[in-house]
Amino acid sequence: MAKSSKDGVAIGAGGETHQQVGSGGIKDRLTTNQGIPVSDNQNQLKAGARGPVLLEDFMLREKIFHFDHERIPERIVHARGSAAHGFFELYESLADITKADLFQRAGEKTPVFTRFSTVAGGAGSVDTPRDVRGFAVKFYTQEGNWDLVGNNIPVFFIQDAIKFPDLVHSVKMEADRGYPQAASAHDTFWDFISLMPESTHMIMWAMSDRTIPRSLRTMEGFGVHTFKLVNAKGETTFVKFHWKPKQGLQSTVWDEAVKIAGADPDFHRRDLFEAIDIGEFPEWELGIQAFDQAFADSLPFDVLDPTKIIPEEVLPIRMIGRMVLDRWPDNFFAETEQVAYCPANIVPGVDFSDDPLLQGRLFSYLDTQKSRLGSTNFHQIPINAPKCPVMNFQRDGMMQMLQPKGRANYEPNSLGEAGEVTGPRECPMTGFVTRPETEHGEKLRIRPESFADHYSQARLFFRSLDPAEQAHLASALVFELSKVGIAPIRTRMLGNLVNVDPELAQRVADGLNMPLPEASPTAAPVLDMDPSPALRIINGPRMADTLKGRSVGVLIADGTDAAALDRLVGQIDKAGGRPILIAPKIGGAKLSDGSLRPADGQLAGFPSVLVDAIAVVLSADGCAALLKEAAAVQFVMDAFGHLKAIGASDEAQPLLDKAGVEPDEGVTGLDAAFVKAAALRYFDREPKLRTLA
Ligand code: HDE
């Protein structure tokens, strides 16, 4: 298969022999795509030094022609993404419930390629809008590629695939004006949502802190739909897939997410790259909730409805393995852009359920790849190619990379030497088998009754959250609906929220300064389910509570105490954190011992939104100078406002005072207490700083 090598030499498909450098050529010589050596890559061919360009300049024409076609259509959704290579390692054999090859042998590693994405924005949009994140994993198993194409939220907006184009049209840039980019805070989205009560549960998640993750490394992933596992005896188990980050869960606060968008539009991409680069490999555990039909029947909702979860407290998650991302792609376009995920890519031992959203997806992804990648042969692109043998009689097509030998391009055939069949053959024993199941019923365009409850789990989610998260959620609704110009849409949304929780609806109505309407009609009674603490980020069982893999911005200036700085940096390193020195000038600051300490970031271009905690290590003179720098005051003010830990030298106190820092648990000296404090955020601080709904 074609590969791209580290040194930038493109190696052709069909073997390692065909290189762009040409046979027997000098390894580093520049050539055209036909292998012709290039003598001048700086000047076009002209008639005279100041004359017109000649049409015969095939080198110019080829180079510009290729450049003109460098872009391919971006994904209609999930256009903006970042990806990495890694592996999945199985903890123990799952042979009792599935015959999938990758789940048979404890300790076995399967290569993966994982792409995270935002949904609404274009490929060039920023990393931190309020948006659902895609979480797509391609497992290159020995029995073919299995794609688990999920999101960082376990439910979806709609129940039926036929509504997907409407949903996506409503959230993307509005049809006439072409804005807003990558934002759900606008009329058409909320118009659609307010008319689609089935979206209410997802809206609770979308307005929660889940959609403003601090890092791709600190979010969960979910397969969303119910799938099936099938064992060697043909027995079926229903299953829901979960990815749980070893780094713990963490989100930003809204004001921070907005500011990151300006300070570093590539914040998540850079974070993933840098984590892998320094060997801090992101890791998730894969868990399953496995259940049978009797269990499914006992639930007050339908497991085929993708707007519902099964709370972990009702059915615990069994961790079955771990995924480690340890290698950045060689080339963004070749891999991250050209990777083609498809929920229909499953392997023997895994199967679909009848979830109507999943069933619709089974068509869409293959179809979309044809427009994006241009050919039915996109599976031959290295990032998409299975790492097991691919043998069949599918032939030809645009961009065919393979050169199959022989006459037989059909089966059955009798073209073998002794008149027997030649070429690959089907195998009823090892091939993918769909388990026979009896289906009957009239052809109908209808939603099942069992999908009618649109509010109980929205209520469950809201009531399960920590009070700080509830306030964020309510405030996000106020923010988004305040951007909606058509007032009746807001009123309709408030009517839906009354069904979720009257108190939430009242808080949002107060935040909008609008009267609370009657509850909108419901198709089924709203249930009070037992809260599920596992749904929380803040104070939940998976909240990030370590400095490992996180960054501390250390503000220094001329005169900073060298010994105190070294001590602090040592402590941060020891805790597994990443100290980032920030000074007024990138060349560094002259410390108390006369040495020049280079900076990692320049204060004006490195606001504190880019780090997880800050330390301010200043001398009295250094502090006096920084009191006149808006960027320094803002650095501290934002860290405080974003509920981060602040460690400071005594001499830095005037800067803290000017930035409005008030003492609390998260404000410390530069001793060991700071490193401990730096692992957390201080949500108790928030009500003192901003009015939340
Ligand atoms: Fe997708 N989705 N989707 N989706 N989706 C695409 O496929 C679609 C849905 C998801 O990193 C597209 O290759 C339909 C749910 C991810 O490349 C497209 C429906 C979930 C990615 C498509 C859904 C997802 C996509 C666009 C409703 C979570 C990015 C480009 C029936 C379980 C994968 C492409 C990547 C991408 C269609 C709903 C996740 C158009 C029709 C539910 C993570 O085929």
Side-chain angles (χ1 to χ4, degrees):
M1 271 301 118
K3 277 190 198 155
S4 77
S5 67
K6 277 265 180 231
D7 59 13
V9 176
I11 300 174
E16 312 299 292
T17 52
H18 169 75
Q19 299 198 356
Q20 271 192 342
V21 291
S23 55
I26 305 157
K27 280 277 180 205
D28 59 359
R29 97 180 156 190
L30 185 73
T31 75
T32 68
N33 282 334
Q34 301 302 322
I36 296 154
V38 173
S39 61
D40 183 343
N41 193 32
Q42 320 303 324
N43 301 292
Q44 322 171 79
L45 186 67
K46 290 180 292 229
R50 301 181 58 245
V53 175
L54 299 178
L55 186 60
E56 76 170 69
D57 188 350
F58 63 93
M59 293 186 192
L60 168 73
R61 278 190 286 110
E62 182 201 77
K63 188 172 172 183
I64 301 285
F65 153 78
H66 199 275
F67 169 76
D68 288 349
H69 303 281
E70 272 179 8
R71 292 289 170 275
I72 59 173
E74 65 178 33
R75 292 164 175 83
I76 168 74
V77 281
H78 297 266
R80 167 116 192 137
S82 304
H85 292 273
F87 62 85
F88 168 73
E89 184 178 15
L90 185 69
Y91 289 158
E92 54 184 342
S93 173
L94 300 183
D96 55 332
I97 49 171
T98 175
K99 62 181 177 185
D101 186 67
L102 81 160
F103 292 141
Q104 299 308 299
R105 295 161 294 276
E108 186 165 300
K109 290 182 178 169
T110 302
V112 300
F113 188 68
T114 299
R115 183 173 181 272
F116 306 101
S117 44
T118 55
V119 179
S125 57
V126 298
D127 273 346
T128 55
R130 175 178 295 284
D131 199 356
V132 179
R133 298 300 188 284
F135 194 122
V137 183
K138 191 180 281 293
F139 296 82
Y140 301 92
T141 88
Q142 286 310 303
E143 294 205 324
N145 288 352
W146 175 39
D147 294 353
L148 187 54
V149 195
N151 280 342
N152 76 329
I153 287 177
V155 289
F156 202 63
F157 293 99
I158 48 171
Q159 296 173 324
D160 190 303
I162 204 164
K163 295 314 297 167
F164 191 65
D166 298 297
L167 166 73
V168 174
H169 288 171
S170 80
V171 72
K172 284 227 162 207
M173 306 172 297
E174 293 195 11
D176 52 356
R177 56 211 68 187
Y179 64 80
Q181 170 74 254
S184 53
H186 59 113
D187 288 57
T188 58
F189 178 69
W190 286 101
D191 187 26
F192 179 77
I193 291 299
S194 65
L195 295 166
M196 294 289 290
E198 71 200 51
S199 67
T200 314
H201 186 197
M202 178 73 168
I203 281 297
M204 290 294 110
W205 286 79
M207 294 300 114
S208 79
D209 294 350
R210 298 271 172 167
T211 46
I212 42 172
R214 176 74 185 149
S215 160
L216 302 171
R217 300 182 286 137
T218 56
M219 46 182 221
E220 294 182 314
F222 303 91
V224 176
H225 314 280
T226 295
F227 289 87
K228 288 181 204 160
L229 294 179
V230 185
N231 68 13
K233 289 189 229 153
E235 293 160 343
T236 297
T237 307
F238 288 119
V239 70
K240 291 220 172 240
F241 293 105
H242 299 250
W243 293 106
K244 303 294 175 200
K246 281 280 186 74
Q247 297 73 227
L249 287 176
Q250 177 151 58
S251 290
T252 52
V253 297
W254 174 241
D255 181 70
E256 182 188 9
V258 169
K259 288 175 174 162
I260 294 172
D264 185 1
D266 308 300
F267 184 65
H268 284 157
R269 184 175 290 178
R270 191 189 308 277
D271 172 85
L272 184 65
F273 183 96
E274 289 182 355
I276 293 175
D277 206 42
I278 61 172
E280 192 68 53
F281 300 138
E283 192 172 326
W284 285 261
E285 286 194 296
L286 179 61
I288 54 171
Q289 284 177 300
F291 55 99
D292 59 14
Q293 187 65 55
F295 175 84
D297 293 342
S298 74
L299 297 171
F301 50 86
D302 196 328
V303 297
L304 300 184
D305 174 355
T307 68
K308 303 294 187 295
I309 57 162
I310 305 175
E312 277 181 50
E313 291 78 2
V314 174
L315 180 61
I317 301 175
R318 171 180 172 193
M319 295 303 174
I320 61 169
R322 66 184 190 125
M323 172 174 74
V324 179
L325 299 182
D326 59 3
R327 186 161 63 86
W328 190 251
D330 287 334
N331 184 274
F332 184 87
F333 179 83
E335 299 170 84
T336 309
E337 193 59 17
Q338 293 199 115
V339 65
Y341 294 94
C342 177
N345 291 350
I346 50 165
V347 290
V350 184
D351 210 341
F352 316 117
S353 71
D354 293 337
D355 174 339
L357 195 69
L358 174 61
Q359 296 275 323
R361 295 178 73 202
L362 300 182
F363 163 72
S364 176
Y365 291 65
L366 187 62
D367 183 54
T368 211
Q369 307 311 347
K370 173 67 177 61
S371 2
R372 242 172 37 78
L373 299 163
S375 155
T376 51
N377 290 316
F378 69 85
H379 60 281
Q380 296 176 3
I381 297 171
I383 195 65
N384 295 322
K387 297 191 194 296
C388 63
V390 175
M391 290 176 287
N392 58 44
F393 296 102
Q394 294 175 35
R395 288 291 187 271
D396 309 343
M398 283 170 71
M399 296 292 156
Q400 178 56 256
M401 298 291 155
L402 305 177
Q403 285 172 217
K405 292 192 173 133
R407 263 176 113 178
N409 59 357
Y410 57 92
E411 77 83 35
N413 65 59
S414 61
L415 300 185
E417 263 176 38
E420 82 285 18
V421 62
T422 180
R425 266 152 282 171
E426 69 201 15
C427 176
M429 305 303 293
T430 55
F432 185 93
V433 181
T434 299
R435 197 167 164 264
E437 272 175 30
T438 311
E439 300 291 349
H440 57 83
E442 294 167 333
K443 290 183 187 173
L444 298 166
R445 292 185 182 274
I446 201 169
R447 295 285 164 98
E449 272 298 307
S450 55
F451 281 33
D453 176 0
H454 302 321
Y455 293 108
S456 301
Q457 289 212 348
R459 176 179 291 179
L460 163 74
F461 180 75
F462 180 71
R463 293 191 179 166
S464 298
L465 297 183
D466 182 88
E469 282 175 299
Q470 289 182 330
H472 294 165
L473 190 158
S475 303
L477 281 164
V478 171
F479 172 88
E480 298 257 325
L481 293 174
S482 297
K483 296 269 183 185
V484 171
I486 302 169
I489 296 177
R490 290 185 229 134
T491 303
R492 202 157 55 223
M493 220 30 243
L494 286 171
N496 290 354
L497 292 177
V498 177
N499 291 323
V500 178
D501 185 292
E503 188 209 311
L504 167 68
Q506 189 61 60
R507 285 162 74 170
V508 177
D510 290 348
L512 297 170
N513 205 5
M514 286 177 69
L516 191 63
E518 293 281 298
S520 55
T522 61
V526 187
L527 309 175
D528 285 318
M529 298 172 67
D530 289 338
S532 165
L535 299 178
R536 289 178 199 152
I537 297 180
I538 301 172
N539 295 324
R542 300 193 180 92
M543 181 172 77
D545 60 358
T546 160
L547 198 53
K548 197 166 172 321
R550 323 260 290 281
S551 55
V552 178
V554 183
L555 181 58
I556 59 169
D558 287 349
T560 287
D561 183 333
L565 179 62
D566 287 340
R567 231 178 5 256
L568 177 73
V569 165
Q571 280 171 348
I572 297 170
D573 276 335
K574 201 165 145 218
R578 223 177 122 200
I580 299 180
L581 297 191
I582 298 158
K585 295 183 181 167
I586 192 69
K590 203 167 181 194
L591 303 189
S592 59
D593 61 0
S595 64
L596 182 72
R597 186 68 55 93
D600 304 306
Q602 185 228 0
L603 179 56
F606 208 106
S608 62
V609 292
L610 302 179
V611 293
D612 293 296
I614 65 162
V616 189
V617 194
L618 298 175
S619 65
D621 285 351
C623 181
L626 287 189
L627 285 177
K628 289 180 237 137
E629 289 295 344
V633 179
Q634 196 68 44
F635 187 85
V636 178
M637 190 182 278
D638 269 350
F640 191 65
H642 301 149
L643 320 175
K644 294 173 185 175
I646 300 176
S649 57
D650 291 345
E651 296 80 357
Q653 192 57 44
L655 184 61
L656 268 55
D657 292 341
K658 188 160 182 188
V661 174
E662 288 172 27
D664 66 26
E665 257 186 301
V667 181
T668 69
L670 290 177
D671 45 16
F674 168 67
V675 178
K676 204 157 163 251
L680 298 172
R681 298 259 183 142
Y682 295 87
F683 293 98
D684 293 347
R685 192 188 286 165
E686 195 160 29
K688 291 186 229 148
L689 297 170
R690 59 179 67 92
T691 307
L692 292 169

